[in-house]
């Protein structure tokens, strides 16, 4: 095939059902390009490919000989044309490939539809003939003496000039800009039809040369391969072509293709068509992609497709109405009443739905209101769910929860006790009167993108395929701040002090210094000296410590917690234990936080209890037990990598147990299964550990106070004299990203933390 085909020869081969479909879908006309071969997307430099007039539907009769005289005349009238081919000129049309308003070469083809019978039957009838020199001169003068805002403007002015001179009914223009696109060997082609009843403009981009990772075999994925792209699409009515900014469009296509990785060329063209339809708002698109290096003894294998927004939407409606489980992301927010309680209640209601399972919950963020700004700050986040519900049924479930919690919508985007929105649903593209997926505004809202990325840093936008993490980094600061669920004042500016209270006679540092009788005074003193949290422990975790019985540990810590609460002190209390029964009793007595040095390994029920109690839990990195940990300090990989892997495993376990990320605190475990040099190196790399994407926006506790590695470098053997080494380690912890600093010497270390916070938060 040469890029076209003989309509009359092949007409009888077309199934009747297909003809009926064409007749219904194309409103009485069939256009030749829809029936052409894959060479439809080759450069159109002659009329063989681009100037075909739409056929009347009555021509689709299976009995060609039964055409009436009137239909025959209509055919003659339709296909009488005068052509001007490959007229070359220089024009100022929009901008050139360097985005300058400069002259650039153009090639113009014209076809004017008129009746040539009068002149054709009488060789001497020059009155009805077209003078081709006049037509060419008229077009050249129009092109070279004017400056055009875009190609539509240029076409309209050429058509107007010709219409004033010649009596034609319909007018076709084909304009090629061979130098318009930097990465294209053939440039840009603009096809325009100016009929008496309608207009149609099409854009074609040929031989866009790109490079990407594509292929199934490992050797194909070692480096990028050449890829050739042809793209064609219709320009919407009234749109000036340069408003699409072709250079930007090609740049975005190149970024999309070259920053992605595909196993097959079919996947590439499918994803790219979706990106063009929804990411760049193109209604329908033809794409041809060829891979020149794929077959040794052939020019290139290629795939050509046609896709439209409607076809994608139809696919989504069919695919996502099924009962197969899908992954969805629901954003939530509240700025009325007790915000955290509202969110927790909404999530609990959602988890009770028989067709919904909550898989993960992001950290929480306090955010400034957008759009309607005269309202209180919001608390926002996102949850990841698995559901069998269709998008619309899931929407109804969310609306039911909002109603149950008492949401009343008085102002659009105004105050609300709870707000639940479906932001993503698998790779679904869904548009209805009530629901649009992906959420329309998600890519411009930090309070949506940030929790999504915290849940999964590899997420991409379903339509644009843009990495959400990349888009998040491009957004300007919108005043979003991480919520700390363990504090009364939940938004922190810098690190806070956690004061240590050991009611353990055998503590390595301060055994027997605190008792049930003096604990209230000790706590008051810590608060006066800057403590924001109190950490109470009844079991020593020093190396080779002898464990106490469960009842003895409870007897040590629970009365202390009650005494503090009975004294009217409302400071957050952390219970330092790896026994779930101790944690239960302490939380019941008034504690707010669990600090488990075993990260839930010692007692498997600890994580599920923390989830049920909805309290923060600190997961510390260690190995073995106090008796065995000193022998487990051999790290085969980089210590930061191994600590990350082992802590991440505990984070995953906590999430599976139902603990939301906003209730997870991490501790690198200085001194636990780590030699002095290893602890110092881990402190040096603390920020690297905290910045792993899997740990995004989780809270960090650092506990270097009086640890052996601080005494090792300061040469202080006695723990109580390690204050200077502790101060240095505390300063480094704050600067490296710790949120909570757990210390014995509250008065002194609060001053160290204050100075370190000032350095970290300072700005010019």
């Amino acid at each position: 095939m040469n890029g076209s085909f003989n309509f009359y020869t092949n007409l009888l081969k077309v199934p009747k059902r297909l003809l009926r479909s064409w007749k219904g879908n194309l409103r009485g006309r069939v256009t030749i390009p829809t029936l052409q071969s894959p060479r439809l997307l080759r450069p159109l430099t002659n009329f063989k490919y681009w100037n075909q007039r739409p056929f009347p539907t009555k021509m689709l009769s299976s009995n060609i000989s039964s055409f009436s005289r009137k239909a025959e005349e209509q055919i003659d009238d339709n296909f009488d044309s005068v052509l001007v081919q490959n007229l070359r000129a220089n024009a100022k049309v929009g901008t050139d490939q360097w985005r300058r308003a400069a002259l650039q070469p153009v090639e113009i083809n014209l076809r004017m539809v008129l009746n040539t019978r009068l002149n054709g039957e009488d060789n001497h009838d020059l009155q009805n003939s077209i003078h081709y020199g006049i037509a060419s001169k008229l077009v050249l003068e129009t092109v070279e003496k004017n400056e055009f805002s875009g190609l539509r403007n240029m076409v309209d002015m050429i058509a107007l000039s010709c219409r004033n001179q010649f009596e034609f009914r319909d007018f076709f223009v084909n304009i090629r800009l061979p130098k318009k696109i930097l990465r294209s060997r053939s440039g840009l082609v603009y096809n325009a039809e100016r009929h008496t009843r309608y207009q149609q403009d099409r854009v074609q981009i040929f031989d866009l040369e790109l490079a990407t990772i594509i292929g199934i075999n490992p050797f194909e994925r070692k480096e990028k391969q050449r890829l050739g792209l042809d793209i064609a699409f219709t320009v919407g009515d009234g749109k000036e072509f340069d408003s699409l900014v072709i250079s930007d469009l090609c740049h975005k296509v190149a970024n999309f293709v070259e920053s992605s990785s595909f196993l097959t060329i079919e996947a590439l063209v499918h994803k790219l068509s979706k990106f063009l339809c929804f990411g760049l708002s193109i209604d329908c698109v033809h794409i041809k992609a060829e891979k020149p290096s794929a077959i040794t003894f052939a020019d290139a294998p290629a795939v050509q497709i046609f896709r439209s927004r409607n076809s994608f939407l139809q696919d989504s409606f069919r695919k996502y109405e099924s009962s197969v489980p899908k992954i969805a992301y629901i954003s939530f927010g509240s700025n009325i009443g007790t915000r955290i309680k509202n969110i927790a209640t909404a999530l609990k209601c959602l988890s009770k739905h028989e067709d919904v399972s909550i898989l993960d919950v992001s950290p929480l963020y306090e955010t400034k209101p957008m759009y309607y700004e005269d309202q209180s700050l919001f608390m926002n986040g996102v949850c990841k769910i698995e559901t069998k519900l269709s998008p619309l049924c899931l929407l109804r479930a969310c609306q039911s929860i909002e109603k149950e919690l008492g949401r009343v919508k008085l102002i659009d985007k105004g105050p609300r006790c709870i707000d639940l929105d479906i932001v993503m649903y698998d790779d679904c593209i869904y548009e209805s009167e009530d629901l649009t997926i992906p959420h329309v505004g998600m890519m411009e809202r930090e309070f949506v993108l940030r929790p999504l990325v915290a849940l999964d840093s590899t997420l991409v936008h379903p339509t644009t395929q843009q990495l959400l993490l990349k888009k998040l980094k491009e957004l300007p600061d919108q005043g979003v701040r991480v919520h700390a669920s363990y504090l009364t004042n939940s938004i922190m500016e810098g690190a806070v002090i956690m004061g240590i209270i050991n009611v353990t006679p055998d503590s390595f540092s301060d055994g027997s210094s605190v008792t049930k009788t003096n604990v209230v005074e000790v706590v008051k003193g810590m608060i006066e000296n800057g403590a924001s949290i109190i950490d109470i422990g009844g079991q020593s975790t020093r190396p080779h410590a002898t464990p106490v019985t469960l009842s003895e540990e409870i007897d040590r810590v629970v009365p202390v917690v009650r005494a503090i609460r009975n004294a009217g002190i409302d400071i957050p209390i952390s219970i330092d234990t790896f026994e779930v029964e101790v944690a239960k009793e302490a939380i019941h007595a008034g504690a707010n936080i669990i600090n488990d040095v075993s990260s839930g390994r010692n007692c498997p029920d600890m994580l599920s209890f923390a989830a049920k109690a909805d309290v923060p839990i600190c997961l510390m990195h260690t190995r073995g037990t106090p008796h065995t940990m000193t022998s487990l300090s051999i790290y085969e990989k980089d210590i930061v990598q191994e600590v990350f892997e082992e802590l991440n495993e505990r984070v995953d376990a906590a999430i599976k147990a139902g603990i939301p990320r906003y209730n997870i605190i991490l501790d690198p475990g200085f001194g636990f299964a780590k030699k002095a040099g290893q602890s110092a190196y881990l402190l040096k790399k603390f920020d690297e550990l905290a910045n792993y994407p899997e740990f995004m926006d989780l809270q960090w506790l650092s506990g270097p106070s009086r640890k052996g590695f601080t005494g090792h470098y300061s040469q202080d053997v006695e723990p109580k004299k390690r204050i200077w080494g502790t101060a240095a380690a505390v300063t480094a912890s704050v600067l490296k990203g710790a949120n909570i600093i757990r210390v014995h010497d509250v008065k002194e270390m609060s001053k160290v933390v204050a100075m370190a916070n000032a350095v970290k938060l300072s700005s010019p």
Side-chain angles (χ1 to χ4, degrees):
M1 296 180 72
N2 61 2
S4 183
F5 81 109
N6 189 312
F7 183 85
Y8 294 100
T9 302
N10 291 275
L11 188 61
L12 295 176
K13 301 178 183 179
V14 180
K16 291 183 179 180
R17 58 179 179 78
L18 188 57
L19 298 181
R20 287 195 296 270
S21 174
W22 283 336
K23 184 175 181 180
N25 293 337
L26 300 182
R27 297 182 181 178
R29 58 189 181 89
V30 175
T31 307
I32 284 292
T34 63
L35 304 175
Q36 286 177 335
S37 75
R39 289 186 60 84
L40 167 67
L41 295 182
R42 289 288 89 195
L44 308 182
T45 56
N46 61 64
F47 294 100
K48 192 174 188 178
Y49 303 113
W50 69 273
N51 68 345
Q52 302 298 319
R53 181 70 171 93
F55 287 99
T57 52
K58 63 178 63 180
M59 290 180 61
L60 299 178
S61 169
S62 60
N63 185 2
I64 301 294
S65 62
S66 66
F67 280 164
S68 66
R69 176 74 178 174
K70 184 177 180 181
E72 183 182 352
E73 290 176 354
Q74 186 175 359
I75 293 173
D76 288 341
D77 185 46
N78 282 341
F79 287 92
D80 282 0
S81 301
V82 171
L83 315 177
V84 176
Q85 301 186 143
N86 292 338
L87 188 63
R88 295 172 180 83
N90 293 318
K92 279 190 175 182
V93 51
T95 58
D96 65 6
Q97 71 268 41
W98 302 110
R99 304 196 182 195
R100 303 170 301 182
L103 287 171
Q104 54 184 309
V106 298
E107 297 175 3
I108 303 168
N109 293 287
L110 306 178
R111 180 165 75 91
M112 294 175 282
V113 178
L114 40 73
N115 193 336
T116 65
R117 282 188 176 187
L118 292 176
N119 179 253
E121 291 176 353
D122 186 351
N123 188 47
H124 302 287
D125 183 9
L126 300 181
Q127 182 179 356
N128 293 298
S129 177
I130 299 295
H131 194 301
Y132 306 111
I134 294 176
S136 299
K137 183 178 179 181
L138 186 63
V139 172
L140 286 174
E141 286 180 351
T142 302
V143 169
E144 294 182 341
K145 290 184 178 181
N146 292 283
E147 185 171 337
F148 307 101
S149 60
L151 286 167
R152 182 185 288 275
N153 178 225
M154 184 178 182
V155 166
D156 289 341
M157 290 190 68
I158 291 174
L160 179 62
S161 299
C162 291
R163 192 178 294 276
N164 290 337
Q165 183 70 30
F166 309 110
E167 294 182 2
F168 58 81
R169 190 191 66 215
D170 296 329
F171 187 77
F172 297 77
V173 182
N174 167 272
I175 300 174
R176 178 171 175 254
L177 281 71
K179 300 292 186 179
K180 176 66 177 177
I181 306 167
L182 281 172
R183 301 176 70 174
S184 168
R185 288 185 288 110
S186 301
L188 165 73
V189 173
Y190 191 84
N191 292 309
E193 302 177 18
R194 294 296 180 263
H195 302 280
T196 54
R197 290 174 305 216
Y198 70 92
Q199 299 181 3
Q200 181 172 314
D201 291 38
R202 296 182 299 278
V203 173
Q204 293 166 295
I205 302 164
F206 297 111
D207 298 315
L208 195 59
E209 296 180 324
L210 307 174
T212 190
I213 299 291
I214 185 167
I216 299 173
N217 299 309
F219 62 83
E220 294 180 285
R221 306 189 65 76
K222 288 183 178 180
E223 58 182 296
K224 291 188 174 183
Q225 299 181 50
R226 288 186 300 126
L227 187 77
L229 277 181
D230 297 341
I231 300 171
F233 57 89
T234 301
V235 180
D237 291 343
K239 277 189 179 180
E240 176 51 75
F241 176 63
D242 263 23
S243 68
L244 294 175
V245 192
I246 188 60
S247 298
D248 286 343
L249 184 146
C250 291
H251 179 68
K252 289 174 181 177
V253 168
N255 276 347
F256 174 88
V257 172
E258 295 186 334
S259 63
S260 303
S261 174
F262 303 94
L263 290 176
T264 65
I265 198 169
E266 294 93 329
L268 185 152
V269 293
H270 181 78
K271 295 284 187 183
L272 178 58
S273 64
K274 185 184 290 188
F275 168 67
L276 289 167
C277 287
F278 293 91
L280 299 182
S281 300
I282 292 173
D283 288 332
C284 55
V285 62
H286 282 88
I287 299 176
K288 178 182 177 182
E290 57 185 32
K291 189 178 171 186
S293 58
I295 301 178
T296 304
F297 298 105
D299 288 344
V303 172
Q304 178 173 297
I305 66 167
F306 171 81
R307 294 288 187 274
S308 67
R309 287 175 61 92
N310 284 338
S311 67
F312 281 117
L313 293 174
Q314 292 287 340
D315 289 345
S316 287
F317 280 114
R318 286 192 295 268
K319 178 178 179 181
Y320 296 107
E321 290 297 324
S322 71
S323 59
V324 177
K326 299 103 180 170
I327 300 298
Y329 293 86
I330 298 176
S331 68
F332 49 80
S334 174
N335 73 335
I336 294 178
T338 308
R339 300 173 300 175
I340 308 302
K341 183 178 180 181
N342 292 341
I343 290 169
T345 304
L347 293 176
K348 188 175 181 180
C349 292
L350 191 61
S351 67
K352 287 181 177 179
H353 197 290
E354 62 181 358
D355 290 320
V356 174
S357 297
I358 295 181
L359 304 179
D360 202 349
V361 180
S362 75
L364 295 180
Y365 304 86
E366 191 169 69
T367 64
K368 297 177 181 178
M370 296 180 71
Y371 314 113
Y372 179 72
E373 297 182 359
D374 187 20
Q375 55 181 319
S376 302
L377 296 177
F378 276 87
M379 197 67 75
N380 291 102
V382 170
C383 66
K384 176 183 178 180
I385 69 168
E386 183 179 71
T387 182
K388 294 182 179 179
L389 297 175
S390 69
L392 279 176
C393 289
L394 183 58
L395 172 66
R396 301 292 179 247
C398 291
Q399 290 173 335
S400 176
I401 293 171
E402 290 177 340
K403 184 177 180 181
E404 183 179 343
L405 268 62
R407 177 179 177 181
V408 178
K409 188 174 181 179
L410 299 175
I411 303 172
D412 186 35
K413 297 180 176 62
R416 65 212 83 163
C417 63
I418 193 66
D419 182 36
L420 300 173
D421 286 317
I422 306 170
V423 290
M424 290 173 63
Y425 184 103
D426 242 4
D427 61 349
C428 174
I429 300 170
Y430 198 98
E431 291 181 0
S432 69
E433 185 177 343
D434 300 321
L435 178 63
T436 300
I437 302 174
H439 195 282
V440 175
M442 61 176 284
M443 297 297 273
E444 306 304 323
R445 300 174 183 177
E446 184 184 356
F447 65 84
V448 177
L449 282 183
R450 192 160 166 182
L452 279 170
V453 172
L455 290 174
D456 185 349
S457 62
T458 66
L459 284 175
V460 296
H461 193 275
T463 57
T464 66
Q465 296 298 301
Q466 183 176 12
L467 191 67
L468 299 191
L469 176 59
K470 183 177 184 294
K471 179 61 178 178
L472 177 63
K473 291 178 178 179
E474 294 171 354
L475 287 181
D477 181 25
Q478 297 177 359
V480 175
R481 297 294 179 264
V482 181
H483 161 75
S485 61
Y486 49 83
L487 292 178
T488 304
N489 181 13
S490 63
I491 303 301
M492 302 183 306
E493 292 295 336
V496 299
I497 289 286
M498 172 186 277
I500 299 172
I501 294 180
N502 284 321
V503 283
T504 51
D506 58 341
S507 172
F508 85 102
S509 174
D510 57 352
S512 302
S513 63
V514 179
T515 65
K516 299 173 187 177
T517 56
N518 71 353
V519 67
V520 171
E521 295 305 316
V522 172
V523 170
K524 287 181 178 179
M526 286 185 171
I527 295 172
E528 290 174 3
N529 286 318
S532 298
I533 309 169
I534 299 298
D535 187 52
I536 299 173
Q539 176 92 260
S540 177
T541 53
R542 64 178 174 81
H544 308 295
T546 302
V548 300
T549 64
L550 190 63
S551 60
E552 185 175 355
E553 186 180 355
I554 292 173
D555 188 55
R556 286 178 178 181
V557 298
V558 172
V560 169
V561 174
R562 287 203 183 101
I564 295 170
R565 291 300 183 228
N566 290 338
I569 301 172
D570 61 357
I571 188 171
I573 296 176
S574 167
I575 182 66
D576 182 2
T577 184
F578 45 72
E579 296 289 353
V580 68
E581 292 303 323
V582 177
K584 287 180 180 180
E585 293 294 332
I587 296 297
H588 181 72
N592 315 91
I593 305 163
I594 299 171
N595 184 9
D596 184 353
V597 297
S598 77
S599 298
R601 283 194 182 94
N602 187 74
C603 194
D605 293 334
M606 181 68 87
L607 297 179
S608 58
F609 167 71
K612 185 177 180 180
D614 194 24
V615 295
I617 182 169
C618 182
L619 309 175
M620 191 189 78
H621 176 268
T622 189
R623 290 174 171 179
T625 66
H627 276 280
T628 62
M629 64 182 180
T630 55
S631 64
L632 299 173
S633 58
I634 297 174
Y635 293 83
E636 296 179 359
K637 306 176 187 176
D638 175 73
I639 188 172
V640 178
Q641 179 65 26
E642 289 201 49
V643 169
F644 158 70
E645 291 173 0
E646 292 169 24
L647 261 183
N648 193 43
E649 184 272 328
R650 301 317 300 157
V651 171
D652 288 343
I655 291 169
K656 288 178 182 177
I659 300 174
R661 289 177 184 259
Y662 61 79
N663 273 341
I664 295 177
I665 306 165
L666 299 180
D667 181 347
F670 298 123
F672 285 79
K674 300 169 188 73
K675 297 176 182 178
Q678 293 170 329
S679 288
Y681 181 76
L682 188 58
L683 179 55
K684 175 185 176 180
K685 297 287 187 176
F686 192 178
D687 54 342
E688 183 179 315
L689 177 64
N691 286 329
Y692 272 90
E694 290 82 353
F695 295 157
M696 180 175 170
D697 289 332
L698 296 184
Q699 301 295 291
W700 284 89
L701 182 149
S702 175
S705 183
R706 300 182 182 178
K707 291 285 176 65
F709 83 101
T710 65
H712 175 81
Y713 292 105
S714 66
Q715 297 184 352
D716 292 311
V717 177
E718 189 177 343
K720 289 185 178 181
K721 293 183 178 180
R722 295 172 183 167
I723 191 166
W724 300 112
T726 297
V730 165
T731 301
S733 296
V734 174
L735 297 180
K736 292 290 186 177
N739 308 105
I740 306 169
I741 307 297
R742 183 178 181 270
V743 297
H744 299 83
D745 305 294
V746 171
K747 183 177 181 180
E748 293 81 1
M749 292 308 119
S750 65
K751 295 178 181 180
V752 174
V753 168
M755 185 64 221
N757 279 336
V759 172
K760 183 177 181 181
L761 301 174
S762 62
S763 58

